[in-house]
Coordinates of all heavy atoms in Angstrom, one line a residue:
V683 N 0.5 -4.3 4.5 CA 0.5 -3.1 3.7 C 1.8 -2.3 3.7 O 2.5 -2.4 4.7 CB -0.7 -2.1 4.3 CG1 -0.6 -0.7 3.6 CG2 -2.0 -2.7 4.1
R684 N 2.1 -1.8 2.5 CA 3.4 -1.1 2.5 C 3.5 -0.1 3.5 O 2.6 0.6 3.9 CB 3.7 -0.5 1.1 CG 2.9 0.7 0.7 CD 3.5 1.4 -0.5 NE 3.7 0.5 -1.7 CZ 4.5 0.7 -2.7 NH1 5.3 1.7 -2.7 NH2 4.6 -0.1 -3.7
G685 N 4.8 0.0 4.1 CA 5.0 0.9 5.2 C 4.5 0.4 6.6 O 4.6 1.2 7.5
T686 N 4.0 -0.8 6.7 CA 3.6 -1.4 8.0 C 4.4 -2.7 8.1 O 4.8 -3.3 7.2 CB 2.1 -1.6 8.0 OG1 1.7 -2.7 7.2 CG2 1.4 -0.3 7.7
G687 N 4.4 -3.2 9.3 CA 5.0 -4.5 9.6 C 6.4 -4.5 9.1 O 7.2 -3.7 9.3
C688 N 6.8 -5.6 8.4 CA 8.1 -5.7 7.9 C 8.1 -5.4 6.3 O 9.1 -5.5 5.7 CB 8.6 -7.1 8.0 SG 9.1 -7.5 9.7
S689 N 7.0 -4.8 5.8 CA 7.0 -4.3 4.4 C 7.8 -3.0 4.2 O 7.9 -2.2 5.2 CB 5.6 -4.1 3.9 OG 4.9 -5.3 3.8
G690 N 8.4 -2.8 3.1 CA 9.1 -1.6 2.8 C 8.1 -0.5 2.3 O 6.9 -0.7 2.3
G691 N 8.7 0.6 1.9 CA 7.8 1.7 1.3 C 7.3 2.6 2.5 O 7.4 2.3 3.6
D692 N 6.5 3.7 2.0 CA 6.0 4.6 2.9 C 4.5 4.4 3.0 O 3.8 4.1 2.1 CB 6.2 6.0 2.4 CG 7.6 6.5 2.6 OD1 8.2 6.1 3.6 OD2 8.1 7.3 1.7
F693 N 4.0 4.5 4.3 CA 2.6 4.2 4.6 C 1.7 5.3 4.2 O 2.0 6.5 4.4 CB 2.5 3.9 6.1 CG 1.1 3.7 6.6 CD1 0.4 2.5 6.3 CD2 0.4 4.7 7.4 CE1 -0.9 2.4 6.7 CE2 -0.9 4.5 7.8 CZ -1.5 3.4 7.5
D694 N 0.5 5.0 3.6 CA -0.5 5.9 3.3 C -1.8 5.2 3.6 O -2.2 4.3 2.9 CB -0.4 6.3 1.9 CG -1.4 7.4 1.5 OD1 -2.1 7.9 2.4 OD2 -1.5 7.8 0.3
L695 N -2.6 5.7 4.6 CA -3.8 5.0 5.0 C -4.8 4.9 4.0 O -5.2 5.8 3.3 CB -4.4 5.9 6.2 CG -5.6 5.3 6.8 CD1 -5.3 4.0 7.6 CD2 -6.2 6.2 7.9
F696 N -5.2 3.7 3.8 CA -6.3 3.3 2.8 C -6.0 4.0 1.4 O -6.9 4.5 0.8 CB -7.7 3.8 3.3 CG -8.1 3.2 4.6 CD1 -8.7 4.0 5.5 CD2 -7.7 2.0 5.0 CE1 -9.1 3.5 6.8 CE2 -8.1 1.4 6.2 CZ -8.8 2.3 7.2
S697 N -4.8 3.8 0.9 CA -4.3 4.4 -0.3 C -4.6 3.5 -1.5 O -4.6 2.3 -1.4 CB -2.9 4.8 -0.2 OG -2.1 3.6 -0.3
W698 N -4.7 4.0 -2.7 CA -4.9 3.4 -4.0 C -3.6 2.6 -4.2 O -3.6 1.5 -4.8 CB -5.2 4.3 -5.1 CG -5.5 3.6 -6.4 CD1 -4.8 3.8 -7.5 CD2 -6.6 2.8 -6.6 NE1 -5.4 3.0 -8.5 CE2 -6.5 2.4 -7.9 CE3 -7.6 2.3 -5.8 CZ2 -7.5 1.5 -8.6 CZ3 -8.5 1.4 -6.4 CH2 -8.4 1.0 -7.8
Q699 N -2.4 3.1 -3.8 CA -1.2 2.4 -3.9 C -1.2 1.1 -3.3 O -0.7 0.0 -3.8 CB 0.0 3.3 -3.5 CG 1.3 2.6 -3.6 CD 1.7 2.2 -5.0 OE1 1.7 3.0 -5.9 NE2 1.9 0.9 -5.3
S700 N -1.6 1.1 -2.0 CA -1.8 -0.3 -1.4 C -2.7 -1.2 -2.1 O -2.5 -2.4 -2.1 CB -2.3 0.0 0.1 OG -1.5 0.8 0.9
A701 N -3.8 -0.7 -2.6 CA -4.6 -1.5 -3.4 C -3.9 -2.1 -4.6 O -4.1 -3.3 -4.9 CB -6.0 -0.7 -3.9
L702 N -3.2 -1.3 -5.3 CA -2.3 -1.8 -6.4 C -1.4 -2.8 -6.0 O -1.1 -3.8 -6.8 CB -1.8 -0.6 -7.1 CG -2.6 0.4 -7.8 CD1 -1.8 1.6 -8.4 CD2 -3.4 -0.3 -9.0
D703 N -0.8 -2.7 -4.9 CA 0.1 -3.7 -4.3 C -0.6 -5.0 -4.1 O -0.1 -6.1 -4.5 CB 0.6 -3.3 -2.9 CG 1.7 -2.1 -3.1 OD1 2.1 -1.8 -4.2 OD2 1.9 -1.5 -2.0
G704 N -1.8 -4.9 -3.6 CA -2.7 -6.1 -3.5 C -3.0 -6.8 -4.8 O -3.0 -8.1 -4.9
R705 N -3.3 -6.0 -5.8 CA -3.4 -6.6 -7.2 C -2.2 -7.3 -7.6 O -2.3 -8.4 -8.1 CB -3.8 -5.4 -8.1 CG -3.9 -5.9 -9.6 CD -3.9 -4.7 -10.5 NE -3.8 -5.1 -11.9 CZ -4.8 -5.4 -12.8 NH1 -6.0 -5.2 -12.4 NH2 -4.6 -5.7 -14.0
E706 N -1.0 -6.7 -7.5 CA 0.2 -7.5 -7.9 C 0.4 -8.7 -7.1 O 0.8 -9.8 -7.6 CB 1.4 -6.5 -7.7 CG 1.5 -5.4 -8.6 CD 2.9 -4.8 -8.7 OE1 3.9 -5.5 -8.8 OE2 3.0 -3.5 -8.6

């Protein structure tokens, strides 16, 4: 998820942005 591990971006718990990343 963005903002965790080695991924970039800012973390937001259970966010719609993370879901959109998964779609991409």
Side-chain angles (χ1 to χ4, degrees):
V683 169
R684 71 166 54 204
T686 71
C688 286
S689 289
D692 286 327
F693 175 70
D694 183 5
L695 181 66
F696 304 142
S697 72
W698 187 243
Q699 179 58 61
S700 295
L702 293 174
D703 291 341
R705 174 190 169 96
E706 286 197 52

